[in-house]
Amino acid sequence: MSFLTLDLNLLRVFDAVMTEQNLTRAAGHLAMTQPAVSNAIKRLRESLGDELLIRTAYGVKPTPRAEALWPSVRGALASLEAAVAPETFDVSAAHATFRMAMADATAAMWLPSLMRSIESEAPGINVRMVPLTTREPRPMLLRGDIDLAVGFFPGVAAQLSYETGSPIRHERLYSGKYVCVMRRDHPLAKVELNLDNYCAANHLLVSFSGRAHGLVDEALAQLQRERRILLTVNQFFTAGRVVANSDLVTVLPRHLIAATGMTDALAHKELPFQLPAVHLDMLWHERDARSPAHKWLRTHLEKMNTQTQRAVNTLPTPTQAPASSR
């Protein structure tokens, strides 16, 4: 193949298909018919001597050659777009509606600041919140059901850190730690929390699926210990209310305690075993990566890190047992 004879329009089609991972969605984005997109990909395959894209039940999967080629094509097209149509964006005149997925506590912590900014800076931007009921939001992003997901997605973030062909982009917003949370006058709030009295307590688990098993149970299993999960709930706010009015204890990210609305009624203590750090990640689709309005939204969420840190720093330090109780 000679580059001089390559139809560069085929690279635009290739970029759209790689972005959408689906021929029909790529055709819609390009204002082309699906047969025309299929024909363009066929011509590119013949020119490059590689299958490039393999059909699957959910769309198409790139070959290693396609994954290696896409970053260069993506970068070149972005440079051309910037040169031909320089970005001019006035957020005060922008009109857009974003669909975002967050857990209830994350939304309670981040949305007030976002709404204040929208009201003062971007009156034409609307936000529609979608329930986050999974640790795997990529299908929602791929289908276009949401524009942005913010939450704790450990498996997804780890996979995306070494993947090269995924159209899903991500950014780490915040890193924190888990703590044991209980009502302020709970018997365990007055003594040292150790593995024995922790496991003897009745527990509440925040579980989107309702499955009574989580990171804590995996950590306890390695210590050949277990706990009784008396209740599972799917909202952090509910967890705070229940724990504040019962003898149940739960494990929450420290930065989300304030979002339960029950800070004055709750105490938190260091766990008597090690858990991995809890991360707050932002995920979005490549199709939105260069959208000026979407960039504004992501930039604003990045700036909110400082506010999150301040909110965490206002929390009391983990409750310590009185000296006479140790």
Side-chain angles (χ1 to χ4, degrees), residues 242-254:
V242 172
V243 169
N245 292 280
S246 72
D247 278 338
L248 273 66
V249 301
T250 191
V251 171
L252 297 178
R254 186 167 181 257

Side-chain angles (χ1 to χ4, degrees), residues 154-300:
V156 176
Q159 190 174 355
L160 290 176
S161 65
Y162 62 81
E163 271 190 359
T164 57
S166 173
I168 304 301
R169 301 289 172 257
H170 82 292
E171 180 178 337
R172 176 73 30 87
L173 292 174
Y174 178 83
S175 292
K177 63 187 298 183
Y178 287 105
V179 292
C180 181
V181 180
M182 63 200 72
R183 61 182 170 85
R184 189 162 291 279
D185 55 350
H186 193 286
L188 290 182
K190 305 171 186 176
V191 299
E192 181 179 0
L193 186 65
N194 57 45
L195 197 56
D196 289 334
N197 56 24
Y198 176 84
C199 292
N202 286 326
H203 293 259
L204 177 152
L205 172 65
V206 179
S207 170
F208 292 153
S209 67
R211 181 170 175 257
H213 188 87
L215 286 173
V216 169
D217 303 286
E218 294 174 9
L220 290 176
Q222 293 191 9
L223 300 172
Q224 298 183 327
R225 302 296 293 267
E226 60 183 15
R227 61 178 178 164
R228 180 197 176 193
I229 297 176
L230 191 153
L231 174 67
T232 67
V233 299
N234 59 11
Q235 291 185 327
F236 290 96
F237 178 77
T238 303
R241 300 287 293 189
V242 172
V243 169
N245 292 280
S246 72
D247 278 338
L248 273 66
V249 301
T250 191
V251 171
L252 297 178
R254 186 167 181 257
H255 66 273
L256 292 186
I257 294 177
T260 66
M262 302 296 294
T263 306
D264 292 341
L266 297 174
H268 65 283
K269 307 191 79 168
E270 299 282 356
L271 289 164
F273 50 87
Q274 293 295 317
L275 281 184
V278 56
H279 304 296
L280 197 65
D281 289 311
M282 175 168 60
L283 274 62
W284 67 96
H285 197 284
E286 174 66 29
R287 73 171 74 91
D288 297 315
R290 298 195 309 277
S291 161
H294 202 283
K295 281 184 181 179
W296 177 87
L297 177 64
R298 299 196 308 270
T299 299
H300 182 81

